[in-house]
Amino acid sequence: FAANSLTRTRNFSPDSMNYVAVARNVSRGLGLTQPALGFNQSRWPVNAALPVPLTAQPPLYPLAVAALGGVLPSHADAALLVAALCYGGILFVGYRLATALYGQAAGRLSLPLLLLHQPLYYVAGFAWSEPLGILLVLLSLLMVVRAQRRGRHSTWMWLGAGLCAGLAFATRYLLLAAVVGAAPLLPGVRRRPASLLAYGAGLAPPVAAVVGRNLILSGSLMGNAANPS
C-alpha cells in the first residue's frame, strides 16, 4: 500500500500541499507557518506578513511530516508515508481493540472488514491528517479498555489514553469530541474519580498547548475560522 501510494497514485489535495508547505517551513526553522495567506480561512488580514502562523488546522500532522521529511527525498513523500504507516497502525490497533472488547473471533473478523472499508482505504491514500487522527483515537480507546481491566494499577494507562486523546485533538480538532464521547460507551467502562483525573492529566498538555498557541496568535480557541466544508 505504501509503495503504491508513494510511487503510483501520489494523491494530493490543496490541504495536502498546505501541510507539506508547513512541514517544509518547520524543517527550515520557520516554525508552524504557512506560505499561503488565508488558506482554508474564511477571513484574514490582507496586510499580514508571510509566512503566517498555522492555526486553522492543527499542528501534529505537519510536525510528523517534518520529522520524517528529514530522512526522505522530499516532504511530499513523507506526507504520503505518514498516512500509509498510520493506515497499517489502524489495522493493527483496530484488531487489538476488537479482540479486547469482544474476543479473538471478533478481532479476526475486524481485520478484513477494515481492509475492505473503502472510505478508510481512500483517506489513507491521500496526504491527509485523518489516518493519524483515527490511529490516535483507536489507541486511546484501546488504552481505556486495558486500564479498566487492570483496575487499581492502571494510572499510567489512563494517562496514556488521555494523552492519545489530546494528540488526536492536535491532529484534527473535532476528534477530541469523538474519543472523549466514545470512551464512556465502551462495555464495562466505569467512571472512577482517580481514573478520570489521570485521563485528564494526560489530555491536558497537548490540548492546552494547541489552544494556548491559537489564543495567542489568533485570539480564538481553534484558530482562525475555517471555510465551510
Side-chain angles (χ1 to χ4, degrees):
F1 178 85
N4 181 64
S5 181
L6 266 71
T7 62
R8 194 177 69 84
T9 57
R10 297 192 67 82
N11 292 321
F12 288 89
S13 69
D15 275 358
S16 303
M17 295 313 301
N18 192 59
Y19 285 132
V20 171
V22 172
R24 286 173 179 157
N25 280 354
V26 171
S27 296
R28 292 168 182 163
L30 300 176
L32 283 162
T33 57
Q34 59 189 39
L37 180 62
F39 181 82
N40 203 33
Q41 298 172 22
S42 57
R43 296 183 180 181
W44 63 90
V46 295
N47 59 345
L50 294 176
V52 295
L54 173 76
T55 59
Q57 294 167 304
L60 188 60
Y61 177 64
L63 286 174
V65 173
L68 200 55
V71 297
L72 291 179
S74 73
H75 287 79
D77 289 342
L80 290 168
L81 186 57
V82 168
L85 292 175
C86 289
Y87 180 52
I90 289 168
L91 298 178
F92 177 74
V93 178
Y95 163 78
R96 296 300 295 269
L97 179 60
T99 300
L101 285 172
Y102 305 111
Q104 192 69 43
R108 290 172 180 168
L109 179 62
S110 70
L111 194 54
L113 290 177
L114 287 170
L115 281 168
L116 295 172
H117 187 56
Q118 179 60 26
L120 177 59
Y121 183 88
Y122 179 79
V123 299
F126 273 82
W128 287 342
S129 60
E130 280 84 353
L132 177 58
I134 293 169
L135 175 60
L136 289 167
V137 168
L138 292 177
L139 275 172
S140 179
L141 296 178
L142 178 60
M143 288 184 178
V144 167
V145 172
R146 290 189 170 180
Q148 179 68 28
R149 292 178 179 176
R150 288 191 179 185
R152 297 180 180 178
H153 306 289
S154 59
T155 302
W156 289 106
M157 196 67 71
W158 283 107
L159 278 168
L163 178 61
C164 286
L167 292 176
F169 171 81
T171 307
R172 299 285 298 181
Y173 291 136
L174 291 178
L175 285 179
L176 182 62
V179 69
V180 173
L185 301 178
L186 294 173
V189 172
R190 296 182 296 276
R191 298 182 183 90
R192 294 190 178 98
S195 302
L196 292 177
L197 285 174
Y199 185 87
L203 176 73
V207 172
V210 172
V211 169
R213 178 178 179 272
N214 288 344
L215 282 172
I216 292 170
L217 295 175
S218 69
S220 173
L221 291 175
M222 295 189 184
N224 294 312
N227 288 322
S229 297

